[in-house]
Amino acid sequence: MKRKVLVSVMFIALAGALIGGGIYAYFSDTETSTGNTFTAGTLNLVPSTDGTGPGGKYTVTAGGDGVNGKVVFTKLAPGDSGSITWTLDNNGNLDGTLTIASNVTFEENGSNEPESAVSGNNGGGDGDLDEYMGVRLKRNGTYILGDASNYVPFSGLEAVLDAESRSLTASGTLTYVLEWEIANDVKGAGTDGEFGTGDDTQIDDNIIQSDKATLDITFTLDQA
């Protein structure tokens, strides 16, 4: 009887040793997540500039990414006309909003005797191209200043440019075309915004001799 009890005690002790020693098996599965990256998007406004005008009276600097583009017109006379085209590409991968800041200045760039002889000649130092040079502006082919039949005074351009705020999607393009004209009869063009012939008094055309207008534009593309 004593022997049987001893054997039972030995089996219980052995089972306890196996459990206490951690000898057992279980299922497992391991997965990984590597290479998690975060890449910032891009906004990249790339402008290019082109122009038209009377032969021999203008030069074009096309500009580009980080390079100023411009058109310079010289020796202009009544009856001349031309244009400046700005093509604005968003070469980034984020949508943006385009805004414009402009500055238009007019100068009396050295009045001479024929100009001084015209009644009403601007002697204040800012010339007369603000009134007697006509402009009109298109955005993507649609007039937003003036229309196909009428130019408006140059002095009205700055406010229209500065009011612009347009969506420019990734890989999208906006095009602005500024058309200008010096009327055949300058003084007779009047101040009502419709440029054309009028009083047919030749001396009045001299009112803009040597006057100068300068247009500076800054295009800004912000994240939409």
PDB file of all heavy atoms in Angstrom, residues 53-74:
ATOM      1  N   GLY A  53       3.545  93.507 -82.248  1.00  0.00           N
ATOM      2  CA  GLY A  53       3.602  94.956 -82.370  1.00  0.00           C
ATOM      3  C   GLY A  53       4.099  95.366 -83.735  1.00  0.00           C
ATOM      4  O   GLY A  53       4.366  94.520 -84.605  1.00  0.00           O
ATOM      5  N   PRO A  54       4.218  96.677 -83.941  1.00  0.00           N
ATOM      6  CA  PRO A  54       4.712  97.161 -85.231  1.00  0.00           C
ATOM      7  C   PRO A  54       6.146  96.684 -85.464  1.00  0.00           C
ATOM      8  O   PRO A  54       6.955  96.611 -84.538  1.00  0.00           O
ATOM      9  CB  PRO A  54       4.668  98.694 -85.066  1.00  0.00           C
ATOM     10  CG  PRO A  54       3.770  98.940 -83.899  1.00  0.00           C
ATOM     11  CD  PRO A  54       3.921  97.768 -82.996  1.00  0.00           C
ATOM     12  N   GLY A  55       6.450  96.323 -86.687  1.00  0.00           N
ATOM     13  CA  GLY A  55       7.777  95.823 -87.019  1.00  0.00           C
ATOM     14  C   GLY A  55       8.882  96.768 -86.601  1.00  0.00           C
ATOM     15  O   GLY A  55       8.821  97.965 -86.870  1.00  0.00           O
ATOM     16  N   GLY A  56       9.889  96.233 -85.935  1.00  0.00           N
ATOM     17  CA  GLY A  56      11.040  97.012 -85.519  1.00  0.00           C
ATOM     18  C   GLY A  56      10.808  97.888 -84.305  1.00  0.00           C
ATOM     19  O   GLY A  56      11.709  98.630 -83.893  1.00  0.00           O
ATOM     20  N   LYS A  57       9.624  97.812 -83.710  1.00  0.00           N
ATOM     21  CA  LYS A  57       9.315  98.685 -82.576  1.00  0.00           C
ATOM     22  C   LYS A  57       9.123  97.931 -81.254  1.00  0.00           C
ATOM     23  O   LYS A  57       8.677  98.520 -80.279  1.00  0.00           O
ATOM     24  CB  LYS A  57       8.053  99.504 -82.868  1.00  0.00           C
ATOM     25  CG  LYS A  57       8.210 100.515 -84.002  1.00  0.00           C
ATOM     26  CD  LYS A  57       6.959 101.370 -84.129  1.00  0.00           C
ATOM     27  CE  LYS A  57       7.103 102.437 -85.207  1.00  0.00           C
ATOM     28  NZ  LYS A  57       5.900 103.309 -85.286  1.00  0.00           N
ATOM     29  N   TYR A  58       9.452  96.639 -81.225  1.00  0.00           N
ATOM     30  CA  TYR A  58       9.283  95.913 -79.970  1.00  0.00           C
ATOM     31  C   TYR A  58      10.275  94.765 -79.868  1.00  0.00           C
ATOM     32  O   TYR A  58      10.743  94.230 -80.876  1.00  0.00           O
ATOM     33  CB  TYR A  58       7.858  95.395 -79.810  1.00  0.00           C
ATOM     34  CG  TYR A  58       7.498  94.214 -80.696  1.00  0.00           C
ATOM     35  CD1 TYR A  58       7.444  92.923 -80.181  1.00  0.00           C
ATOM     36  CD2 TYR A  58       7.220  94.386 -82.051  1.00  0.00           C
ATOM     37  CE1 TYR A  58       7.114  91.844 -80.976  1.00  0.00           C
ATOM     38  CE2 TYR A  58       6.880  93.316 -82.848  1.00  0.00           C
ATOM     39  CZ  TYR A  58       6.831  92.040 -82.315  1.00  0.00           C
ATOM     40  OH  TYR A  58       6.507  90.984 -83.116  1.00  0.00           O
ATOM     41  N   THR A  59      10.600  94.420 -78.636  1.00  0.00           N
ATOM     42  CA  THR A  59      11.450  93.265 -78.353  1.00  0.00           C
ATOM     43  C   THR A  59      10.787  92.426 -77.264  1.00  0.00           C
ATOM     44  O   THR A  59      10.156  92.956 -76.346  1.00  0.00           O
ATOM     45  CB  THR A  59      12.852  93.687 -77.880  1.00  0.00           C
ATOM     46  OG1 THR A  59      12.744  94.524 -76.724  1.00  0.00           O
ATOM     47  CG2 THR A  59      13.584  94.442 -78.978  1.00  0.00           C
ATOM     48  N   VAL A  60      10.942  91.115 -77.359  1.00  0.00           N
ATOM     49  CA  VAL A  60      10.325  90.182 -76.426  1.00  0.00           C
ATOM     50  C   VAL A  60      11.401  89.431 -75.653  1.00  0.00           C
ATOM     51  O   VAL A  60      12.342  88.898 -76.253  1.00  0.00           O
ATOM     52  CB  VAL A  60       9.427  89.167 -77.159  1.00  0.00           C
ATOM     53  CG1 VAL A  60       8.867  88.140 -76.176  1.00  0.00           C
ATOM     54  CG2 VAL A  60       8.300  89.875 -77.887  1.00  0.00           C
ATOM     55  N   THR A  61      11.266  89.414 -74.333  1.00  0.00           N
ATOM     56  CA  THR A  61      12.054  88.523 -73.484  1.00  0.00           C
ATOM     57  C   THR A  61      11.084  87.495 -72.917  1.00  0.00           C
ATOM     58  O   THR A  61      10.225  87.827 -72.101  1.00  0.00           O
ATOM     59  CB  THR A  61      12.737  89.298 -72.336  1.00  0.00           C
ATOM     60  OG1 THR A  61      13.572  90.306 -72.892  1.00  0.00           O
ATOM     61  CG2 THR A  61      13.566  88.364 -71.476  1.00  0.00           C
ATOM     62  N   ALA A  62      11.208  86.259 -73.366  1.00  0.00           N
ATOM     63  CA  ALA A  62      10.201  85.251 -73.052  1.00  0.00           C
ATOM     64  C   ALA A  62      10.125  84.922 -71.566  1.00  0.00           C
ATOM     65  O   ALA A  62       9.062  84.606 -71.043  1.00  0.00           O
ATOM     66  CB  ALA A  62      10.466  83.972 -73.847  1.00  0.00           C
ATOM     67  N   GLY A  63      11.250  84.991 -70.869  1.00  0.00           N
ATOM     68  CA  GLY A  63      11.250  84.644 -69.451  1.00  0.00           C
ATOM     69  C   GLY A  63      11.060  83.159 -69.248  1.00  0.00           C
ATOM     70  O   GLY A  63      11.327  82.340 -70.121  1.00  0.00           O
ATOM     71  N   GLY A  64      10.563  82.775 -68.064  1.00  0.00           N
ATOM     72  CA  GLY A  64      10.373  81.367 -67.738  1.00  0.00           C
ATOM     73  C   GLY A  64      10.402  81.175 -66.241  1.00  0.00           C
ATOM     74  O   GLY A  64      10.117  82.110 -65.480  1.00  0.00           O
ATOM     75  N   ASP A  65      10.759  79.976 -65.800  1.00  0.00           N
ATOM     76  CA  ASP A  65      10.747  79.639 -64.383  1.00  0.00           C
ATOM     77  C   ASP A  65      11.818  80.447 -63.650  1.00  0.00           C
ATOM     78  O   ASP A  65      13.007  80.183 -63.773  1.00  0.00           O
ATOM     79  CB  ASP A  65      11.006  78.145 -64.210  1.00  0.00           C
ATOM     80  CG  ASP A  65      10.529  77.633 -62.865  1.00  0.00           C
ATOM     81  OD1 ASP A  65      10.055  78.449 -62.053  1.00  0.00           O
ATOM     82  OD2 ASP A  65      10.618  76.416 -62.633  1.00  0.00           O
ATOM     83  N   GLY A  66      11.393  81.451 -62.880  1.00  0.00           N
ATOM     84  CA  GLY A  66      12.336  82.287 -62.144  1.00  0.00           C
ATOM     85  C   GLY A  66      13.010  83.358 -62.970  1.00  0.00           C
ATOM     86  O   GLY A  66      13.881  84.079 -62.473  1.00  0.00           O
ATOM     87  N   VAL A  67      12.627  83.500 -64.233  1.00  0.00           N
ATOM     88  CA  VAL A  67      13.249  84.484 -65.122  1.00  0.00           C
ATOM     89  C   VAL A  67      12.184  85.480 -65.580  1.00  0.00           C
ATOM     90  O   VAL A  67      11.116  85.087 -66.057  1.00  0.00           O
ATOM     91  CB  VAL A  67      13.888  83.795 -66.357  1.00  0.00           C
ATOM     92  CG1 VAL A  67      14.528  84.838 -67.262  1.00  0.00           C
ATOM     93  CG2 VAL A  67      14.907  82.762 -65.914  1.00  0.00           C
ATOM     94  N   ASN A  68      12.449  86.763 -65.428  1.00  0.00           N
ATOM     95  CA  ASN A  68      11.499  87.796 -65.795  1.00  0.00           C
ATOM     96  C   ASN A  68      11.262  87.828 -67.305  1.00  0.00           C
ATOM     97  O   ASN A  68      12.201  87.860 -68.089  1.00  0.00           O
ATOM     98  CB  ASN A  68      12.026  89.158 -65.333  1.00  0.00           C
ATOM     99  CG  ASN A  68      11.101  90.296 -65.726  1.00  0.00           C
ATOM    100  OD1 ASN A  68       9.889  90.205 -65.556  1.00  0.00           O
ATOM    101  ND2 ASN A  68      11.665  91.367 -66.256  1.00  0.00           N
ATOM    102  N   GLY A  69       9.994  87.808 -67.690  1.00  0.00           N
ATOM    103  CA  GLY A  69       9.636  87.960 -69.094  1.00  0.00           C
ATOM    104  C   GLY A  69       8.993  89.321 -69.306  1.00  0.00           C
ATOM    105  O   GLY A  69       8.252  89.810 -68.448  1.00  0.00           O
ATOM    106  N   LYS A  70       9.246  89.945 -70.445  1.00  0.00           N
ATOM    107  CA  LYS A  70       8.708  91.276 -70.687  1.00  0.00           C
ATOM    108  C   LYS A  70       8.702  91.575 -72.185  1.00  0.00           C
ATOM    109  O   LYS A  70       9.374  90.917 -72.978  1.00  0.00           O
ATOM    110  CB  LYS A  70       9.548  92.329 -69.973  1.00  0.00           C
ATOM    111  CG  LYS A  70      11.008  92.365 -70.422  1.00  0.00           C
ATOM    112  CD  LYS A  70      11.821  93.367 -69.618  1.00  0.00           C
ATOM    113  CE  LYS A  70      13.291  93.330 -70.047  1.00  0.00           C
ATOM    114  NZ  LYS A  70      14.108  94.295 -69.274  1.00  0.00           N
ATOM    115  N   VAL A  71       7.904  92.594 -72.544  1.00  0.00           N
ATOM    116  CA  VAL A  71       7.890  93.106 -73.903  1.00  0.00           C
ATOM    117  C   VAL A  71       8.121  94.612 -73.822  1.00  0.00           C
ATOM    118  O   VAL A  71       7.457  95.306 -73.038  1.00  0.00           O
ATOM    119  CB  VAL A  71       6.557  92.818 -74.621  1.00  0.00           C
ATOM    120  CG1 VAL A  71       6.628  93.278 -76.074  1.00  0.00           C
ATOM    121  CG2 VAL A  71       6.221  91.328 -74.561  1.00  0.00           C
ATOM    122  N   VAL A  72       9.054  95.107 -74.598  1.00  0.00           N
ATOM    123  CA  VAL A  72       9.390  96.531 -74.597  1.00  0.00           C
ATOM    124  C   VAL A  72       9.021  97.116 -75.959  1.00  0.00           C
ATOM    125  O   VAL A  72       9.502  96.648 -76.999  1.00  0.00           O
ATOM    126  CB  VAL A  72      10.889  96.747 -74.312  1.00  0.00           C
ATOM    127  CG1 VAL A  72      11.243  98.233 -74.407  1.00  0.00           C
ATOM    128  CG2 VAL A  72      11.253  96.194 -72.931  1.00  0.00           C
ATOM    129  N   PHE A  73       8.145  98.137 -75.945  1.00  0.00           N
ATOM    130  CA  PHE A  73       7.717  98.823 -77.156  1.00  0.00           C
ATOM    131  C   PHE A  73       8.373 100.204 -77.202  1.00  0.00           C
ATOM    132  O   PHE A  73       8.419 100.913 -76.187  1.00  0.00           O
ATOM    133  CB  PHE A  73       6.194  98.982 -77.179  1.00  0.00           C
ATOM    134  CG  PHE A  73       5.433  97.680 -77.153  1.00  0.00           C
ATOM    135  CD1 PHE A  73       4.978  97.156 -75.944  1.00  0.00           C
ATOM    136  CD2 PHE A  73       5.176  96.980 -78.323  1.00  0.00           C
ATOM    137  CE1 PHE A  73       4.268  95.967 -75.908  1.00  0.00           C
ATOM    138  CE2 PHE A  73       4.474  95.777 -78.291  1.00  0.00           C
ATOM    139  CZ  PHE A  73       4.029  95.274 -77.086  1.00  0.00           C
ATOM    140  N   THR A  74       8.843 100.592 -78.362  1.00  0.00           N
ATOM    141  CA  THR A  74       9.501 101.891 -78.509  1.00  0.00           C
ATOM    142  C   THR A  74       9.029 102.580 -79.795  1.00  0.00           C
ATOM    143  O   THR A  74       8.487 101.929 -80.695  1.00  0.00           O
ATOM    144  CB  THR A  74      11.039 101.742 -78.571  1.00  0.00           C
ATOM    145  OG1 THR A  74      11.393 100.911 -79.692  1.00  0.00           O
ATOM    146  CG2 THR A  74      11.582 101.110 -77.292  1.00  0.00           C
TER     147      THR A  74
END
